[in-house]
Amino acid sequence: MPDARDATPYDALLLLSFGGPEGPDDVVPFLENVTRGRGIPKERLKEVGQHYFLFGGVSPINDQNRALLDALRKDFAGHGLDLPVYWGNRNWAPYLTDTLREMVRDGRRRVLVLATSAYASYSGCRQYRENLADALATLEAEGLELPEIDKLRHYFNHPGFLEPMIDGVIRSLAELDEDVRDGAHIAFSTHSIPTAAADTSGTVDDHGDGGAYVKQHLDVAQLIADAVRERTGVDHPWQLVYQSRSGAPHIPWLEPDICDHLEERHAAGVPAVVIAPIGFVSDHMEVLYDLDTEAKAKAEELGLPMRRSATVGADPRFAAAVRELVLERAAVERGQEITPCALGSLGASHHLCPVGCCPGRAPRPAAAGADSPYA
């Protein structure tokens, strides 16, 4: 591990997240931000917003990001790493552009970005990079000096991301009644995306059925299942499943859906299920609604015992992993030889997103990659 106190050449870390409403009046404007350019009527957005209104119009994601900010700052300070941490969102306050403007005015010139998405995909990586490019273009138009921006590599297989999820699955299994525990099935859940987007996720070499998006999730699921077997002595059957599908019904998306999967597993005689939301960093709205509301209701309807394990959130091990990723990338930028920390069969992800990585439907400038117009 590189020097635990040397983040040179970086002078700041930016936590970049999706954002979410913090009250009923925020819901429709937030959804307008998310869907801007798609021509979705306001009445339809009000219907979609019912998920949020069930929880008082508040998404938990902003509070969870505040907790992660606090965990990162405490971890950095506790290890002598003098690196300020900022926070910006794509779709709600604090907005990314405003945060970058603040960073520039604070004199930050070399910025690392931590996105709250661990895997390769358009929506989980390149779209964040496009948002960064949009924000930089705005600052450039304002005549501000632009900082140089890099993005931390995908951290899906870093031990600090995996260990909290392993513990969560083991705790959830322990909560099941003893007579169904050993036969419990593990459903590893992530966000469904269009199959075309999955097939082109990651680098060009990864393209194929499911692309890097599916491969990375399968690798994580296998790592967790193996660790659970080693620590409990029970080999639980498992499957990667999907949730939160949206969009036109004629467009193919990754399947099976979690609720369909629960029905199928119940019909097959599975005595219990643990749902492990490995695709999500924190318990945001899609976890609370799609799993804790819809999937829970489906399991109760079937009479199928079900537990949902925790996401990583602000676990101190994840904060430590971020510190290690920062120091790793800083050492690479200084030209040092390092051994990246990664488990599983896929190894450490690339530090610099290559040209053609996770393409969108229409070409757009993206920062923090080999094709960045702000290199």
Side-chain angles (χ1 to χ4, degrees):
M1 173 57 60
D3 187 333
R5 293 173 293 181
D6 188 5
T8 310
Y10 298 106
D11 56 17
L13 176 70
L14 169 62
L15 174 64
L16 177 55
S17 194
F18 192 81
E22 300 200 78
D25 292 342
D26 296 343
V27 172
V28 171
F30 162 73
L31 292 173
E32 287 175 331
N33 288 341
V34 174
T35 62
R36 181 165 286 117
R38 301 183 202 173
I40 299 176
K42 182 171 287 190
E43 291 307 311
R44 173 58 182 152
L45 295 180
K46 290 179 180 178
E47 294 175 18
V48 174
Q50 292 307 311
H51 296 183
Y52 292 93
F53 292 128
L54 286 174
F55 297 89
V58 179
S59 169
I61 193 170
N62 280 349
D63 277 346
Q64 290 165 3
N65 279 324
R66 292 182 183 103
L68 179 55
L69 275 174
D70 184 60
L72 290 171
R73 288 165 177 161
K74 286 179 178 176
D75 179 89
F76 288 8
H79 290 82
L81 179 58
D82 184 16
L83 190 71
V85 186
Y86 294 76
W87 168 36
N89 289 325
R90 289 168 48 184
N91 299 298
W92 202 248
Y95 287 103
L96 169 60
T97 302
D98 295 336
T99 300
L100 276 180
R101 187 182 294 110
E102 176 189 358
M103 296 175 80
V104 168
R105 290 172 176 167
D106 286 349
R108 311 306 175 192
R109 294 292 175 259
R110 191 77 187 271
V111 177
L112 257 178
V113 173
L114 166 66
T116 54
S117 175
Y119 302 86
S121 69
Y122 171 73
S123 57
C125 183
R126 186 175 181 89
Q127 192 169 16
Y128 281 97
R129 295 176 49 225
E130 290 176 353
N131 295 145
L132 284 165
D134 290 343
L136 289 171
T138 297
L139 299 189
E140 186 175 42
E142 294 173 0
L144 296 176
E145 182 179 353
L146 301 186
E148 186 174 347
I149 293 181
D150 293 320
K151 179 179 174 292
L152 289 174
R153 65 176 173 88
H154 303 303
Y155 46 85
F156 62 93
N157 56 4
H158 193 287
F161 185 67
L162 290 166
E163 284 294 332
M165 293 191 291
I166 294 167
D167 287 350
V169 171
I170 292 174
R171 281 195 301 270
S172 293
L173 287 166
E175 292 171 0
L176 292 168
D177 290 343
E178 192 172 350
D179 60 337
V180 299
R181 185 181 305 149
D182 286 355
H185 170 85
I186 305 174
F188 292 105
S189 186
T190 190
H191 205 301
S192 184
I193 61 175
T195 56
D199 291 345
T200 57
S201 60
T203 63
V204 173
D205 290 342
D206 289 321
H207 293 175
D209 290 346
Y213 186 75
V214 172
K215 289 179 184 177
Q216 290 170 359
H217 280 89
L218 287 172
D219 205 43
V220 167
Q222 186 68 66
L223 284 163
I224 295 174
D226 288 348
V228 170
R229 183 187 66 249
E230 291 168 4
R231 299 178 195 185
T232 67
V234 180
D235 191 7
H236 292 273
W238 62 269
Q239 185 170 339
L240 179 63
V241 301
Y242 302 93
Q243 62 178 87
S244 312
R245 188 201 192 285
S246 62
H250 67 279
I251 297 175
W253 283 54
L254 293 173
E255 297 178 336
D257 174 77
I258 178 60
C259 289
D260 294 340
H261 181 67
L262 292 176
E263 289 186 339
E264 188 272 333
R265 288 291 81 203
H266 178 256
V270 165
V273 172
V274 167
I275 302 176
I278 61 173
F280 307 94
V281 172
S282 63
D283 289 4
H284 54 58
M285 184 56 68
E286 286 165 323
V287 175
L288 293 187
Y289 184 79
D290 296 324
L291 298 184
D292 293 353
T293 305
E294 285 196 325
K296 180 182 178 182
K298 174 58 69 175
E300 290 174 348
E301 173 192 321
L302 297 168
L304 179 65
M306 186 271 279
R307 296 292 184 274
R308 195 269 291 176
S309 66
T311 53
V312 172
D315 190 288
R317 290 167 292 184
F318 181 47
V322 173
R323 170 172 42 84
E324 291 176 6
L325 290 165
V326 167
L327 296 172
E328 175 190 294
R329 181 59 184 271
V332 168
E333 292 301 306
R334 295 195 302 266
Q336 294 177 228
E337 292 290 332
I338 60 155
T339 302
C341 188
L343 302 178
S345 63
L346 300 180
S349 184
H350 47 260
H351 287 290
L352 187 68
C353 290
V355 175
C357 193
C358 300
R361 286 174 291 182
R364 290 186 57 204
D371 53 356
S372 172
Y374 298 103

